[in-house]
Amino acid sequence: MPKNIKLTYFDFKGFGEPVRLALAIAGLDFEDFRIKREDWPAIKPTMPFGHVPVLEVDGQKVAQSGAMLRYIGKLVPESGLYPSDIWTAFKVDEIIGVVDDIMRLLRPSFATKDEDEIVRLRTALVAPEGELTLALAQLEASLAKTAGAKFALNDGPTIADISIYVILDLLSSGVLTAMPKDVYAKHPQLSKVVNAVRAHPKVKEWESKH
């Protein structure tokens, strides 16, 4: 087991929050280092591939949040965060890929400071035939195949549940211009996952402190 774990990311949720929650659920002690915006230019050259989040394990730095999530799950197998069953792990990876696709849909609206353009882009995403609307419906349909489970795939949380929770929490938070708070409300399986993760004792403890 590693002696020292340090997560480096900015002081907001984004791509760092799933890793924070996975570490918390797994019961791993870690340093939650949050970069100030003004300090980023000096820190950027020290990060692998020049971006964050970065997980430093006993002095070795590794990038890519998906890789971090799988590492944490494998490091603490009893947590169930990354299933030992090959098929279930395959489905976990599929869901994480879908969440990454959803994040990519949002990137153009994050890349502009033009408020009118932000509204235009996000309104198009959540239109009846918008790409985000369709992506959420497709994810809902996929989760419906395991509707009897307490979480997305089984009765315990996986890194897939954490990924779903963080992105849907962001989308419905009200902080994103032109993004309706009820963006996923009509999807019972997505709502189930969000509620189950939010109610998890270690998630509740983490969020109460941060």
Side-chain angles (χ1 to χ4, degrees), residues 168-187:
L168 294 185
D169 184 57
L170 171 65
L171 291 175
S172 62
S173 65
V175 303
L176 298 183
T177 302
M179 185 62 62
K181 291 184 178 182
D182 63 350
V183 63
Y184 70 88
K186 68 179 182 180
H187 298 307

Side-chain angles (χ1 to χ4, degrees), residues 113-127:
K113 294 182 180 180
D114 185 323
E115 286 295 321
D116 291 339
E117 180 67 0
I118 291 171
V119 170
R120 185 189 71 79
L121 289 168
R122 291 182 183 160
T123 300
L125 286 177
V126 298

Side-chain angles (χ1 to χ4, degrees), residues 102-119:
I102 290 172
M103 285 299 298
R104 276 191 283 272
L105 293 177
L106 295 170
R107 281 175 185 164
S109 67
F110 287 134
T112 180
K113 294 182 180 180
D114 185 323
E115 286 295 321
D116 291 339
E117 180 67 0
I118 291 171
V119 170

Side-chain angles (χ1 to χ4, degrees), residues 13 17-18 20-22 24-26 81 151 157 161-162 165-166 194-210:
K13 294 184 177 182
E17 193 69 3
R20 292 176 183 133
L21 293 181
I25 291 173
L81 287 172
F151 289 85
D161 295 283
I162 295 171
Y165 171 67
V166 172
V194 170
N195 292 335
V197 174
R198 183 175 286 134
H200 190 282
K202 291 187 177 180
V203 173
K204 290 174 70 175
E205 180 183 5
W206 173 263
E207 293 188 337
S208 70
K209 294 178 178 179
H210 303 85

Side-chain angles (χ1 to χ4, degrees), residues 43-164:
I43 294 174
K44 181 179 172 69
T46 70
M47 296 292 105
F49 310 105
H51 61 73
V52 287
V54 162
L55 195 67
E56 187 172 339
V57 181
D58 289 342
Q60 299 188 72
K61 297 176 181 177
V62 178
Q64 295 298 329
S65 58
M68 296 172 205
L69 292 173
R70 293 177 184 90
Y71 170 76
I72 294 164
K74 292 175 182 178
L75 186 63
V76 188
E78 62 270 24
S79 69
L81 287 172
Y82 196 64
S84 58
D85 175 74
I86 294 175
W87 181 258
T88 308
F90 193 16
K91 295 298 291 181
V92 164
D93 289 341
E94 178 187 47
I95 291 172
I96 291 175
V98 171
V99 172
D100 287 344
D101 288 344
I102 290 172
M103 285 299 298
R104 276 191 283 272
L105 293 177
L106 295 170
R107 281 175 185 164
S109 67
F110 287 134
T112 180
K113 294 182 180 180
D114 185 323
E115 286 295 321
D116 291 339
E117 180 67 0
I118 291 171
V119 170
R120 185 189 71 79
L121 289 168
R122 291 182 183 160
T123 300
L125 286 177
V126 298
E129 297 301 321
E131 289 183 284
L132 179 58
T133 300
L134 295 177
L136 293 178
Q138 289 163 349
L139 183 54
E140 171 74 12
S142 177
L143 298 186
K145 298 173 184 177
T146 50
K150 292 180 181 179
F151 289 85
L153 299 170
N154 50 43
D155 288 337
T158 69
I159 56 176
D161 295 283
I162 295 171
S163 298
I164 291 171

